[in-house]
Amino acid sequence: MGIRLGCIADDFTGATDLANNLVRAGMRVVQLIDVPPTGADVTVDADAVVIALKSRTVPATDAVEASLRALAWLRSAGAEQTYFKYCSTFDSTPAGNIGPVTEALMDALGTDFTIATPAFPDNERTVFKGRLFVGDVLLSESGMRHHPLTPMTDPNLVSVLGAQTTRAVGLIDHTVVAGGAEAIRARIDDLREEGFGLAIADAVCNEDLVRLGAAVQGLPLVTAGSGLAIGLPANWGFVPSAAAAQLPPAGGHMAVVSGSVSVATNRQVLEFVRSGRPAFSVDPLRIAAGEDVVGQVLAFAESHLADGPVLVYSTEAPDAVRTVQGRLGAAEAGVLVEQTLARVAQGLVERGVRRLVVAGGETSGAVVQALGVTGLRIGPQIDPGVPWCAAALPNGETLHITLKSGNFGGPDFFTAAFDLLDGEASS
């Protein structure tokens, strides 16, 4: 049938998060790593395409330019509707990038209205009265208040988005959403007449997302976290199907590379270490001092890979992160760690790793680029928002990889991921 939905994600883990929900709802999905080069012969056999950008924390002008290139490619491929995906914690600053990218896409598509909702109830992200909750607490009380690049201290998404846009931002509250698609469309009509160009949409359960999905059928552009994806495939007649998530058989060594500093990933690292499995902590200060940290990591990994998964991590508590940033600078520390972990991932794959878990959005982007991965076929879900994927390596072999948002997954995520893949292979 061709591409129905064209998606633009502002980081790599967010892209797989979105693709995962589309697959669960019955769409066959391919994720592309960045926009294909001009003139490249790219044939995609999928119902939806997700283009993964690394644009969440770059300057707003760069994010806009990259997003418009992605939009142009998706439209040329026949996409009928565009989906701009950002994080379920609405990661941004007063300068963007959610608002500037949204408005640039609206202008390019010639549309005067769209919605915004980062809600993802399966991962305890809900929006009520325009306020974003993470679990039982407001966004401003969650671990995101300590994020090193995009600290989120205001849970009121109407004001957060309004600070980033020239268009007025309204609200589609829970009472309207509960009324169903017709009530939502009526509210959209009213907001348009009142001069609003965007609206935050409440959603506290999956049923709300399904209702919103039906209501936005026909809108040229929707913007959301990954949650809204569960409500869109039905607009084209898709229904959940296990066939949409099938991947080739998996094998080879197993490893985890983690660069996230989130609370969830800290717990996952701690659980892995407590279990007695081999783990190597990467110290940014040792990298900055010129030590051959990559060589040390790979020597350690080489002696343990045959016995099961190996973890390589640079994950610290907020106080430790601030100490490193104070000595190296926030941006410099982040780049050092990303580049080092990307080179580690290259070395692990060279040593036979074919099942790889990567934690953290920026780390995931650096790793897939270092590995020369240009596209991913989306497979079965490990945890809400996180699927296994299959990628063709430059040598033609298959790498099974999962790109995990730092905020996602339970404490045992790393081992559960490999258990799932083993189960898929034996079924």
Side-chain angles (χ1 to χ4, degrees), residues 87-98:
C87 188
S88 63
T89 47
F90 218 66
D91 296 21
S92 53
T93 69
N97 291 337
I98 295 173

Side-chain angles (χ1 to χ4, degrees), residues 226-292:
S226 68
L228 187 63
I230 69 173
L232 296 181
N235 292 339
W236 290 280
F238 291 99
V239 296
S241 167
Q246 288 182 342
L247 295 180
H253 293 318
M254 299 173 283
V256 181
V257 174
S258 174
S260 170
V261 297
S262 74
V263 172
T265 302
N266 269 311
R267 289 177 182 147
Q268 290 153 7
V269 167
L270 184 60
E271 179 68 19
F272 190 96
V273 173
R274 280 177 175 170
S275 72
R277 294 178 173 86
F280 192 107
S281 176
V282 173
D283 183 349
L285 297 178
R286 290 171 60 191
I287 303 171
E291 292 188 35
D292 181 16

Side-chain angles (χ1 to χ4, degrees), residues 17 47-48 52 54 95 112 118 123 143 147 167-168 217 224 227 232 234-235 308 313 326 350 357 387 397 421:
D17 171 14
D47 307 306
K54 206 164 180 282
D112 66 342
N123 261 326
H147 194 285
R167 291 168 170 85
Q217 183 176 17
L232 296 181
N235 292 339
Y313 67 99
E350 289 168 0
V357 173
E397 294 185 40
L421 205 53

Side-chain angles (χ1 to χ4, degrees), residues 35-114:
V35 184
T38 302
D41 183 13
V42 179
T43 301
V44 176
D45 178 23
D47 307 306
V49 173
V50 182
I51 295 181
L53 302 177
K54 206 164 180 282
S55 58
R56 180 170 299 169
T57 56
V58 301
T61 53
D62 294 345
V64 166
E65 189 274 334
S67 301
L68 290 176
R69 283 193 297 110
L71 174 65
W73 191 92
L74 291 167
R75 294 180 77 182
S76 71
E80 298 172 9
Q81 186 176 47
T82 303
Y83 190 136
F84 170 42
K85 193 275 177 193
Y86 35 74
C87 188
S88 63
T89 47
F90 218 66
D91 296 21
S92 53
T93 69
N97 291 337
I98 295 173
V101 170
T102 296
E103 292 200 288
L105 294 174
M106 291 176 71
D107 291 342
L109 289 164
T111 185
D112 66 342
F113 189 88
T114 191

Side-chain angles (χ1 to χ4, degrees), residues 20-392:
N20 174 66
N21 279 343
L22 294 172
V23 167
R24 290 173 61 214
M27 280 182 151
R28 298 169 306 130
V29 182
V30 167
Q31 176 178 326
L32 300 179
I33 307 304
D34 212 338
V35 184
T38 302
D41 183 13
V42 179
T43 301
V44 176
D45 178 23
D47 307 306
V49 173
V50 182
I51 295 181
L53 302 177
K54 206 164 180 282
S55 58
R56 180 170 299 169
T57 56
V58 301
T61 53
D62 294 345
V64 166
E65 189 274 334
S67 301
L68 290 176
R69 283 193 297 110
L71 174 65
W73 191 92
L74 291 167
R75 294 180 77 182
S76 71
E80 298 172 9
Q81 186 176 47
T82 303
Y83 190 136
F84 170 42
K85 193 275 177 193
Y86 35 74
C87 188
S88 63
T89 47
F90 218 66
D91 296 21
S92 53
T93 69
N97 291 337
I98 295 173
V101 170
T102 296
E103 292 200 288
L105 294 174
M106 291 176 71
D107 291 342
L109 289 164
T111 185
D112 66 342
F113 189 88
T114 191
I115 68 163
T117 182
F120 189 6
D122 283 353
N123 261 326
E124 299 189 311
R125 277 40 166 191
T126 55
V127 181
F128 180 76
K129 292 290 186 181
R131 272 69 174 176
L132 178 56
F133 286 79
V134 177
D136 294 330
V137 302
L138 287 164
L139 175 66
S140 53
E141 299 169 13
S142 74
M144 284 303 299
R145 69 187 184 277
H146 297 305
H147 194 285
L149 298 178
T150 52
M152 300 303 294
T153 57
D154 184 357
N156 185 338
L157 301 187
V158 174
S159 64
V160 171
L161 186 58
Q164 304 176 27
T165 59
T166 61
R167 291 168 170 85
V169 180
L171 175 65
I172 304 172
D173 79 11
H174 70 288
T175 57
V176 173
V177 175
E182 289 303 319
I184 297 168
R185 291 191 193 104
R187 174 61 175 158
I188 289 173
D189 289 342
D190 289 344
L191 287 167
R192 275 177 155 147
E193 289 183 9
E194 294 166 16
F196 291 95
L198 303 102
I200 298 296
D202 281 357
V204 297
C205 60
N206 283 347
E207 289 75 17
D208 286 343
L209 294 172
V210 171
R211 288 187 276 263
L212 283 166
V216 299
Q217 183 176 17
L219 278 186
L221 173 70
V222 294
T223 87
S226 68
L228 187 63
I230 69 173
L232 296 181
N235 292 339
W236 290 280
F238 291 99
V239 296
S241 167
Q246 288 182 342
L247 295 180
H253 293 318
M254 299 173 283
V256 181
V257 174
S258 174
S260 170
V261 297
S262 74
V263 172
T265 302
N266 269 311
R267 289 177 182 147
Q268 290 153 7
V269 167
L270 184 60
E271 179 68 19
F272 190 96
V273 173
R274 280 177 175 170
S275 72
R277 294 178 173 86
F280 192 107
S281 176
V282 173
D283 183 349
L285 297 178
R286 290 171 60 191
I287 303 171
E291 292 188 35
D292 181 16
V293 174
V294 173
Q296 295 167 13
V297 172
L298 295 176
F300 172 84
E302 205 159 10
S303 64
H304 291 91
L305 283 172
D307 301 322
V310 171
L311 167 65
V312 181
Y313 67 99
S314 180
T315 300
E316 300 288 353
D319 288 345
V321 172
R322 284 192 287 270
T323 298
V324 171
Q325 289 178 337
R327 295 177 67 176
L328 300 179
E332 291 80 359
V335 170
L336 273 177
V337 170
E338 286 172 33
Q339 291 177 344
T340 299
L341 292 180
R343 289 168 57 206
V344 166
Q346 281 181 303
L348 291 171
V349 170
E350 289 168 0
R351 287 158 176 76
V353 168
R354 293 296 180 269
R355 289 171 283 179
L356 179 64
V357 173
V358 186
E362 299 300 314
T363 305
S364 293
V367 166
V368 295
Q369 289 174 334
L371 293 176
V373 171
T374 59
L376 300 169
R377 173 67 67 175
I378 308 303
Q381 175 175 276
I382 304 164
D383 262 1
V386 195
W388 273 110
C389 308

